[in-house]
Amino acid sequence: MLLPALCFLLAGSTQVAAQQPDNQPVVRNVILMIGDGMGLYHPYTAYTVNHGKLALYERAQAIGLSKTWSANNYTTDSAAGGTAIACGVKTNNGVIGQRPDGTNAKSMLEYAADNGLATGVVVSCELTHATPASFVAHVNGRSENENIALDFAHSKVNVAIGGGRKFFEQREDGKNLADSMKAKGFTVAYTLDEVKAAQNGNLLALLADVSPARYPARGEMLTDGVTTALNILSRNNKGFFLMVEGSQIDWAAHDNNQNEVISEMLDFDRTIKIAYDFAERDGHTLVIVMADHETGGMTLKNGDFASGEVETAFASKGHSAGPIPVYAFGPGAMKFTGIYENTEILPKVLELLRIAR
């Protein structure tokens, strides 16, 4: 059912985009949601197990395809993939927020912050991992966790929720970046209850020493984190930019673990629903859901909606090189139809936010 619909939407994307109304609501807020490693079949498997229900599918208004190759490899990693989305440039695998020549590339979060918007990052991995780092940091190697944490501390981000406490507080240079951020007016949280209690101001939440546990052991880190982030960021009358990552879809796919892919995917979908609901109430919020790449070469061999049973197969334990779907909801959604490079996400977002590059 999904594949014919996707082909139809892509085939007619030029016509659909041309029909976008001139009087669409102004986009003030952008929620960019990245399911790390999420290809076409990761969500469709979860959709089948969930008996034909998935917020991602039920309410997406536009679908496109993003090409994912990196500057030095046909198959991207999360660093180059994240940088392409965040900064609009192709770079080498392993590089965060920089061009292949080593110069820094400005991210959409930084553009938003420099134009007075509130900004946030909510992830189910450590904050210093490749994808969130691509929106905040500028380093030559994705493993430079302490340097990435330092870039977070020096950034203009208002809300940051994830793991990685070690890289902020137990550093080789002896600095405690959490204390430094407290001195700048941040509330620092270490539990989900503390996250949920946060109502305004700047928030740094370090919910694991390094990586949070797989779902459900980590609790409602994504859903509660996004709810809090939206409550805080939406207080800014100029608008906000929020990046959310369902990080461990990728990790489960690397392990070729069907059940964990489904669990992580459904957790991410519950978070997507929160974003869709907010956008629907607000009327000026664009939600983009996509991946940085596909992981595992996952395919769906058979399934049954009534029983929720599925049979999947994986081609590898690494990344694959194919394009990935982009789903959009809200004003400006039709700009994300078609087939384009992952570097086109940034200029589309900046145009809708009326921010000059």
Side-chain angles (χ1 to χ4, degrees):
M1 182 182 298
L2 178 66
L3 285 172
L6 179 61
C7 292
F8 171 79
L9 284 169
L10 290 172
S13 62
T14 302
Q15 291 180 326
V16 171
Q19 296 169 1
Q20 183 169 293
D22 292 332
N23 61 346
Q24 69 170 354
V26 170
V27 177
R28 284 199 294 262
N29 313 310
V30 173
I31 306 172
L32 175 62
M33 309 188 75
I34 298 175
D36 198 319
M38 182 185 75
L40 186 62
Y41 290 107
H42 301 71
Y44 201 75
T45 299
Y47 175 70
T48 305
V49 170
N50 209 35
H51 308 290
K53 295 180 180 179
L54 206 68
L56 173 61
Y57 291 166
E58 292 163 8
R59 295 163 67 184
Q61 296 169 330
I63 306 173
L65 283 178
S66 169
K67 293 176 279 185
T68 61
W69 55 276
S70 71
N72 69 338
N73 203 302
Y74 188 67
T75 304
T76 191
D77 75 337
S78 289
T83 296
I85 296 167
C87 305
V89 298
K90 296 281 188 180
T91 195
N92 297 333
N93 284 1
V95 175
I96 298 287
Q98 293 182 341
R99 301 175 183 85
D101 64 5
T103 58
N104 290 349
K106 192 171 182 176
S107 77
M108 65 177 75
L109 184 148
E110 292 170 324
Y111 276 108
D114 286 347
N115 282 271
L117 278 67
T119 61
V121 173
V122 179
V123 296
S124 55
C125 62
E126 52 269 40
L127 287 167
T128 58
H129 210 267
T131 306
S134 298
F135 288 81
V136 175
H138 305 276
V139 297
N140 188 52
R142 59 180 292 176
S143 62
E144 297 178 32
N145 288 286
E146 292 196 358
N147 288 335
I148 293 168
L150 193 61
D151 279 354
F152 260 95
H154 291 159
S155 75
K156 295 180 180 178
V157 69
N158 302 109
V159 175
I161 301 173
R165 177 177 180 175
K166 171 183 177 181
F167 307 118
F168 285 80
E169 298 186 345
Q170 300 162 27
R171 299 167 52 83
E172 290 184 6
D173 60 12
K175 296 178 181 178
N176 187 318
L177 300 182
D179 285 347
S180 299
M181 294 178 77
K182 281 181 185 177
K184 289 168 54 178
F186 275 77
T187 296
V188 179
Y190 299 102
T191 67
L192 274 179
D193 285 341
E194 291 173 343
V195 168
K196 289 189 289 185
Q199 299 294 322
N200 49 51
N202 294 334
L203 173 66
L204 171 67
L206 302 170
L207 302 180
D209 190 45
V210 183
S211 302
R214 296 274 173 91
Y215 190 83
R218 66 173 173 267
E220 303 306 317
M221 181 176 180
L222 274 182
T223 55
D224 288 346
V226 167
T227 298
T228 292
L230 291 174
N231 288 339
I232 294 174
L233 299 178
S234 61
R235 294 175 182 272
N236 186 319
N237 292 330
K238 290 187 177 180
F240 66 81
F241 171 80
L242 173 63
M243 194 286 288
V244 180
E245 186 188 35
S247 316
Q248 299 196 40
I249 300 167
D250 173 70
W251 303 358
H254 274 298
D255 291 341
N256 291 178
N257 189 318
Q258 171 187 295
N259 291 338
E260 288 194 349
V261 166
I262 293 164
S263 179
E264 291 292 339
M265 190 63 240
L266 289 175
D267 182 43
F268 188 48
D269 190 64
R270 287 187 290 272
T271 312
I272 292 169
K273 182 181 184 301
I274 291 171
Y276 280 171
D277 287 346
F278 177 91
E280 191 167 63
R281 292 191 305 270
D282 176 72
H284 296 278
T285 298
L286 169 68
V287 181
I288 307 161
V289 185
M290 62 181 300
D292 46 357
H293 55 74
E294 193 276 346
T295 301
M298 184 179 181
T299 190
L300 184 57
K301 297 172 68 176
N302 201 1
D304 184 88
F305 291 115
S307 67
E309 295 178 353
V310 291
E311 181 185 359
T312 62
F314 294 88
S316 76
K317 288 184 175 289
H319 298 173
S320 67
I324 53 91
V326 180
Y327 308 85
F329 174 88
M334 293 304 174
K335 283 193 174 291
F336 295 87
T337 60
I339 302 171
Y340 42 84
E341 299 291 348
N342 50 8
T343 53
E344 287 304 303
I345 301 296
L346 172 70
K348 291 175 188 291
V349 167
L350 294 184
E351 179 185 352
L352 288 166
L353 287 173
R354 304 167 308 286
I355 293 174
R357 190 175 179 184

